[in-house]
Each structure stands twice: as structure tokens, then as C-alpha cells.
């Protein structure tokens, strides 16, 4: 008997009808001879609705209280799904993250899982029950409720699959699998049958809204196969797995577009050792994630430093940077929210040349100026003007022949 962990996103459990449909799918898996653990997100837009409600009460709420509020969304979903399974004549039990021993650090709103003690889940499975777990949440060793950040239910599911030594983890969403690009931006994007952990990790971190990047990190570390499937249709999804020889023949696997970042530039920074370290240490201490970093040396014994952060952390980042700038004698700090990041990803890039020149040439041909460039072994990212982001993604996707007709 195999143990399978399934995760259903908010769109899959958005209303009573969809919850009943999920219950039927879960029961089908159980009837096929599997032990089933189900991780569920909050219904539909409930998390966003709770955030909006909090802002009406207090525009700047404490992160601890936000975690207390947002953790309730998943609790609604797990109870309703358990009720649906009971209605269909099968046994199920719902648990919150803390109830199944998910222990995290103390960083509210984007906590990291430190340990899982799944004994309670194992006991329920031995009793023949379908186990339903609230995604996105855990608790600190001191008993404080925490959340794992947006998309954290993916992380809950993969981490539980590892802790329980599951056969694989199934992530159910409202699309057929993982595509070469966002079909809403590029309708010609095609579904991939399989993709490596490294590729999807890059795509997820670069803005492709497929899976939580930290969930892929866990999957890769423990070699947990992950299927991304459609919760509404019985079609073969996309398998996220370790690299194999056949995958290396595909030079570029996908294109990602991120429109949720902003750029901060520090002009006339003193060109001496330790200044940049102090600037970025203050950002790290404030728990602000920094993405791309570019430094340009000038002829005046100073340097200009540009970097990107998520837009929702821009004000926090500016507050920190402005404080550091005064102490370090930085000439000027400016920000720009009108940017977009476009990236190409593929493990085949390791052994193929000319990817960068092809990418830059097609952007130049379409009169799209490049503001920042960042590369790794399997990806190239560029920052362009925000109103050029979608066009850049479309022409790059076409240039590399990633469409359905190719």
C-alpha cells in the first residue's frame, strides 16, 4: 500500500461543489489502495479577503496577529473537506499544522519549517482514515502560530511527503501542469511532461507562478518526486524530478515573467571594502529578500549599486536603506516600481553557447532596453521597463521555439 500526499490550492476548494469534487478524487485514490494525506489551502480568495479586512481595521498590523488571522482560512477548508468525505461514506480527520507537529522558526508571515513530528498522522492512517492537514501554517517551539508565506501550502505538502516517506507528492491546481510560460501571458505556451528540480526552482524563484520555491528546494534535497496536476480533469500532469540525459538536449525549458519587483538604486556609494556588506546586512537583519544586484564603479572613487526587492517589501527596504545611507555617506537613494524581470531557464544552457546573445538580440530587435542583467549556470534574467515585460516574454518565448507548434 503506497502513501501519497496530495495538495489542493484555493481555486480547487473555492466553494461547496468544488470541495465535494475534491473529496471524490481523494476517495478514488484511497479506493485504489493508497494511504492518503491531503493538504488544503484556504478557499478561493479567502486569504486576500482576510488581508483586506485586516487593512480596514489597521493599515499596519503586527505580523504575529496577521498570522493568527490568516491561519484561520485553512482551518475552514480542512473541516469542510472532512465533512464532504464523511458525507460520501468514508472516514477522515482534519488537523491544523500545529496539531501534526509542524515546528517553525519565529519569523512571522514567512516562517521556515524546522521539524515535523508526524506521529499523529501515522496513527490516523493506521486507523484507515484519510488525513487532511491545513497548509501554510505551523507553530514555534514556544507555541506561537506562524505562516509560511504565500504559496506555503506547497511547502507543507512536500515537507509532509518527505517526513512520511511518501511515494510521491501531488500538487493539484487549475491547470494541466507546468508550462513553458504563463499561458495567460503567452497563449501558445505548451505543457511540459517533466522538468528538473533545478529548472522549476529557477522558474519559481523568477516569478513563474507554478509552485512555492522552498517546496522545490525540499523536494530536491530529499529527491521527492512531485506531480503538478489539474484538479478538474484526469489528465497526466508534469513530473518534477531529478535530471536525466534526455532533459539536457532541451536548451531552454521555459520563460518566466515577474512583475512584482521594484528596483532600488544607491548613487555615489563610497568605494571601499565593507560598505556594500553593511548595506545588505541591514536588509538581511530586517528580513528583506534581495534579488538581483548590480554594482557599477564610477571614475569618482564611488560606485552605484542597484538591486531588486519585492514590491510589497519596498517601503520596508527603503526605510532600512535610507537609514544606512545617512550613516555611510551615500549620495542618493531612488526607487522604481515600473520594472519587469524576464528570464530564460534550461539545464541545457550549461553545454550550449549563444543563449545570451540570442536573447539580447531579440530584445533589441523589438526595441526593448535592458536595465539589469543577472546570470547563473542555467538561467539568464533581465530587467526591463514594466510596460515592456509581457512583450519581452512573448518574443523571447517565440525566439527559442517553445510554442505548441514547435
Amino acid at each position: 500500500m503506497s502513501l501519497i500526499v496530495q495538495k489542493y490550492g484555493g481555486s480547487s476548494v473555492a466553494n461547496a461543489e468544488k470541495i465535494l469534487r475534491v473529496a471524490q478524487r481523494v476517495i478514488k485514490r484511497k479506493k485504489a489502495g493508497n494511504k492518503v494525506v491531503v493538504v488544503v489551502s484556504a478557499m478561493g480568495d479567502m486569504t486576500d479577503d482576510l488581508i483586506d479586512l485586516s487593512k480596514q481595521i489597521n493599515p499596519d498590523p503586527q505580523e504575529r496577529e496577521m498570522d493568527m488571522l490568516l491561519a484561520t482560512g485553512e482551518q475552514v477548508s480542512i473541516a469542510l473537506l472532512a465533512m464532504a468525505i464523511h458525507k460520501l461514506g468514508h472516514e477522515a480527520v482534519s488537523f491544523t499544522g500545529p496539531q501534526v507537529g509542524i515546528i517553525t522558526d519565529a519569523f512571522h508571515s514567512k516562517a521556515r519549517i524546522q521539524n515535523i513530528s508526524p506521529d499523529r498522522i501515522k496513527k490516523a492512517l493506521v486507523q484507515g482514515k484519510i488525513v487532511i492537514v491545513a497548509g501554510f501554517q505551523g507553530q514555534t517551539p514556544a507555541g506561537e502560530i506562524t505562516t509560511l508565506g504565500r504559496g506555503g501550502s506547497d511547502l507543507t505538502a512536500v515537507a509532509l511527503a518527505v517526513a512520511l516517506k511518501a511515494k510521491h507528492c501531488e500538487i493539484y491546481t487549475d491547470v494541466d501542469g507546468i508550462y513553458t510560460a504563463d499561458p495567460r501571458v503567452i497563449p501558445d505556451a505548451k505543457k511540459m511532461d517533466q522538468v528538473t528540480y533545478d529548472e522549476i526552482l529557477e522558474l519559481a524563484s523568477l516569478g513563474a507562478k507554478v509552485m512555492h520555491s522552498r517546496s522545490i528546494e525540499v523536494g530536491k534535497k530529499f529527491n521527492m518526486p512531485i506531480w503538478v496536476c489539474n484538479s478538474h480533469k484526469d489528465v497526466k500532469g508534469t513530473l518534477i524530478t531529478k535530471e536525466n540525459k534526455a532533459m539536457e538536449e532541451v536548451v531552454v525549458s521555459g520563460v518566466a515573467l515577474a512583475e512584482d519587483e521594484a528596483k532600488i538604486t544607491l548613487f555615489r556609494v563610497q568605494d571601499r571594502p565593507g560598505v556594500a556588506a553593511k548595506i545588505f546586512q541591514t536588509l538581511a537583519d530586517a528580513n528583506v529578500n534581495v534579488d538581483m544586484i548590480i554594482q557599477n564603479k564610477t571614475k569618482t572613487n564611488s560606485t552605484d549599486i542597484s538591486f531588486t526587492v519585492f514590491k510589497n517589501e519596498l517601503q520596508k527596504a527603503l526605510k532600512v536603506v535610507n537609514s544606512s545611507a545617512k550613516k555611510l555617506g551615500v549620495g542618493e537613494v531612488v526607487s522604481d516600481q515600473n520594472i519587469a524581470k524576464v528570464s530564460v531557464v534550461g539545464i541545457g544552457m550549461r553545454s550550449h553557447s549563444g543563449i545570451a546573445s540570442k536573447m539580447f538580440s531579440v530584445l533589441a530587435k523589438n526595441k526593448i532596453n535592458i536595465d539589469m542583467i543577472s546570470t547563473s549556470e542555467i538561467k539568464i534574467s533581465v530587467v526591463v521597463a514594466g510596460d515592456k515585460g509581457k512583450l519581452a516574454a512573448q518574443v523571447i518565448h517565440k525566439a527559442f521555439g517553445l510554442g505548441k507548434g514547435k
Side-chain angles (χ1 to χ4, degrees), residues 207-235:
K209 297 175 176 61
V210 283
M211 278 191 68
H212 195 294
S213 59
R214 278 156 54 198
S215 67
I216 306 300
E217 291 172 358
V218 173
K220 178 186 176 182
K221 181 177 180 180
F222 296 97
N223 195 24
M224 173 57 62
I226 304 169
W227 283 93
V228 178
C229 309
N230 194 321
S231 62
H232 308 301
K233 294 188 287 184
D234 285 322
V235 295

Side-chain angles (χ1 to χ4, degrees), residues 34 77 103 139 159 162 173 182 221 230 249 287 316 379:
N34 302 291
S77 299
I103 303 300
Q139 72 174 6
V162 170
T173 180
D182 187 341
K221 181 177 180 180
N230 194 321
E249 297 176 6
N287 205 26
K316 183 197 289 188
K379 67 96 176 174

Side-chain angles (χ1 to χ4, degrees), residues 262-268 304-309 314 317-318 321-322 325 330-337:
K263 181 178 72 169
I264 297 175
T265 301
L266 286 69
F267 292 102
R268 300 184 301 283
D304 298 335
I305 300 176
S306 294
F307 59 93
T308 59
V309 299
L314 176 60
L318 284 172
V321 169
N322 282 322
V330 174
E332 184 183 7
V333 178
V334 299
S335 63
D336 182 5
Q337 297 190 59

